[in-house]
Amino acid sequence: MKVPYRIETERLVIRPYDPRDAPILEETVERSREHLWPWMDWTPAEPEPLEDVVQRLRSFRAQFDADENWIMGAWSKDESRLLAGTGLHPRGGEGSLEIGYWVAVDAIGQGIATEMAAVLARVCIELLDRDRVDLQIEPTNERSANVARKLGFTHEGTLRRRLPRREGPRADSMVFTLLREELPGSPCMAYAYTAYGALGNQLA
């Protein structure tokens, strides 16, 4: 099965970006720049030209449609606010997907990252038939590490100099995983979702 084009939870709509989302993405990242800067090496040092953001979103959508890499936004239920960014990445090899995410500065502390990660972990295993779901987190990013622990992911180890940074050596990576057989008893199951395909057909 393909990655859903739309995932709805109690509070969120998770979907691939469209180039028309460029203004709200640019505004959200700019507002959150100081918050994102220590963790996201792609965070711009100054406001980006809107056309650059449009081109990036065209690339994201092309990768999504080609089933290469699935980068999405997490929106409020009416889709008027971009609360977070997330994605599923095939970095861990066959049978696995890695969840990545960031949260807008005005959405911190509301459980958005936990809800996204829980639902995407369920999608990976239940709909996409993956055997393992990964999270890679810098050791100093305690908020994200707490999300992984809260959802029942296992800290398998810390890999040295694995995560890219805009300058200097790469950062260490704490690798958290959730296996297929661990999902049914995990806290992820408390987060319900409905998933839809490219034509709007309900998948789950």
Side-chain angles (χ1 to χ4, degrees):
M1 186 178 290
K2 305 289 188 181
V3 172
Y5 273 73
R6 185 180 181 90
I7 302 168
E8 296 184 2
T9 74
E10 182 180 355
R11 298 185 296 166
L12 305 175
V13 172
I14 303 171
R15 61 167 175 81
Y17 289 108
D18 184 276
R20 290 173 295 183
D21 297 324
I24 192 168
L25 175 61
E26 191 278 332
E27 190 275 332
T28 302
V29 171
E30 176 59 23
R31 188 175 68 250
S32 306
R33 190 198 313 168
E34 184 176 345
H35 158 62
L36 296 175
W37 185 266
W39 317 115
M40 301 295 170
D41 69 313
W42 49 260
T43 308
E46 56 188 33
E48 291 185 283
L50 191 58
E51 184 57 31
D52 289 357
V53 183
V54 169
Q55 293 305 316
R56 184 179 310 117
L57 294 189
R58 291 182 64 190
S59 174
F60 287 170
R61 186 56 182 259
Q63 293 173 54
F64 193 105
D65 291 338
D67 290 319
E68 296 173 348
N69 193 33
W70 301 273
I71 300 174
M72 299 170 277
W75 305 77
S76 59
K77 288 294 278 190
D78 63 2
E79 298 187 55
S80 63
R81 294 176 61 214
L82 178 62
L83 302 175
T86 190
L88 298 174
H89 311 293
R91 296 168 179 153
E94 186 175 353
S96 71
L97 283 171
E98 179 185 322
I99 299 172
Y101 58 80
W102 57 269
V103 178
V105 67
D106 53 338
I108 296 171
Q110 300 174 31
I112 301 297
T114 303
E115 190 168 336
M116 283 192 306
V119 166
L120 289 178
R122 292 190 63 183
V123 166
C124 286
I125 293 171
E126 296 173 346
L127 298 186
L128 305 179
D129 199 31
R130 295 307 202 269
D131 190 56
R132 190 184 80 242
V133 183
D134 299 333
L135 291 169
Q136 290 201 63
I137 300 168
E138 284 195 36
T140 53
N141 190 345
E142 196 58 34
R143 281 184 182 271
S144 283
N146 285 339
V147 168
R149 296 184 184 107
K150 185 186 303 182
L151 293 177
F153 280 67
T154 296
H155 178 209
E156 293 195 343
T158 300
L159 306 179
R160 296 185 296 170
R161 295 189 180 175
R162 296 301 176 100
L163 299 176
R165 282 185 160 174
R166 63 181 57 84
E167 59 184 13
R170 287 177 171 246
D172 294 348
S173 170
M174 297 173 67
V175 178
F176 290 86
T177 62
L178 184 73
L179 302 180
R180 175 195 297 273
E181 61 268 25
E182 296 169 340
L183 177 65
S186 79
C188 294
M189 300 304 293
Y191 295 86
Y193 69 94
T194 307
Y196 300 89
L199 299 179
N201 51 309
Q202 186 170 331
L203 304 175

